[in-house]
Amino acid sequence: FVWSTLSLGLNAQITLGPTVGTFGVLAGSTVTSTGPTVVTGNLGVSPGTAITGITGIAPGGPGTVSGSINSANAVALQAQNELTAAYNAAAGAASTATKAGDLGGQTLFAGVYTSSSSLGITGTVTLDAQNNPNAQFIFQIASSLTTATSSNVKLMNGALASNVFWQVGSSATLGTTSSFSGNILALSSISLGTSTV
């Protein structure tokens, strides 16, 4: 889920707060791992408490976390507050273009892309920062985001994953062996297929 000024005349600046920026995974009700998941950074749930399949949480599991585990504590609550602010900022950013269907095969430049329903990625979508280290890419998706097996979000010409925001109105599902870049801010759920990175 997890930052800089937005150029090209866009009137939005999306940032993750200092607490939520330390999280690899942050959920509202439940985190479930069914395989050897590796979470880089902190893992948290708030206001819910359910975490399963992660080492260090009974009954344990193959999933591991490099940071701390936070279940309905002050740290998780602060992170949720910051995440909500980022979600609302992304949702409220002024659109610069509309998108529908599948983004695969397209090259996109910095901007705010709005979809009135679902978006998919089959193959590769390329995000080109045009050598601008401050370039932000904001995707406002009213419904779901789904990536196909082996799909790819490719960053080029200085594009940074930390400057890519996928604001999803329902659920995000990343297909098996997908290579994904950016921060998914999903209202309902995020599901990752096997070997997704």
Side-chain angles (χ1 to χ4, degrees):
F1 280 44
V2 204
W3 285 323
S4 53
T5 58
L6 187 60
S7 61
L8 304 176
L10 300 178
N11 64 355
Q13 179 182 350
I14 309 303
T15 60
L16 292 180
T19 304
V20 73
T22 67
F23 279 74
V25 173
L26 179 63
S29 61
T30 304
V31 172
T32 302
S33 172
T34 59
T37 304
V38 177
V39 176
T40 303
N42 298 332
L43 179 145
V45 180
S46 178
T49 60
I51 301 172
T52 59
I54 299 293
T55 299
I57 301 289
T64 60
V65 178
S66 68
S68 64
I69 297 173
N70 300 275
S71 177
N73 62 14
V75 174
L77 176 61
Q78 178 62 32
Q80 277 292 355
N81 290 337
E82 293 172 6
L83 177 59
T84 299
Y87 181 94
N88 290 337
S95 180
T96 58
T98 58
K99 289 292 177 183
D102 197 287
L103 297 177
Q106 299 181 44
T107 297
L108 304 175
F109 304 108
V112 180
Y113 298 93
T114 304
S115 170
S116 61
S117 61
S118 298
L119 276 183
I121 301 172
T122 302
T124 298
V125 60
T126 301
L127 306 182
D128 184 346
Q130 299 177 298
N131 299 313
N132 178 354
N134 298 321
Q136 281 195 333
F137 300 82
I138 301 168
F139 296 88
Q140 301 167 328
I141 306 166
S143 184
S144 61
L145 169 66
T146 305
T147 70
T149 298
S150 300
S151 61
N152 183 27
V153 176
K154 179 182 176 183
L155 305 177
M156 67 180 295
N157 293 326
L160 301 172
S162 59
N163 286 335
V164 179
F165 296 89
W166 304 84
Q167 179 262 317
V168 183
S170 62
S171 299
T173 304
L174 306 187
T176 302
T177 65
S178 293
S179 177
F180 193 84
S181 295
N183 302 283
I184 300 175
L185 313 174
L187 189 61
S188 297
S189 65
I190 300 172
S191 301
L192 307 179
T194 302
S195 299
T196 299
V197 295

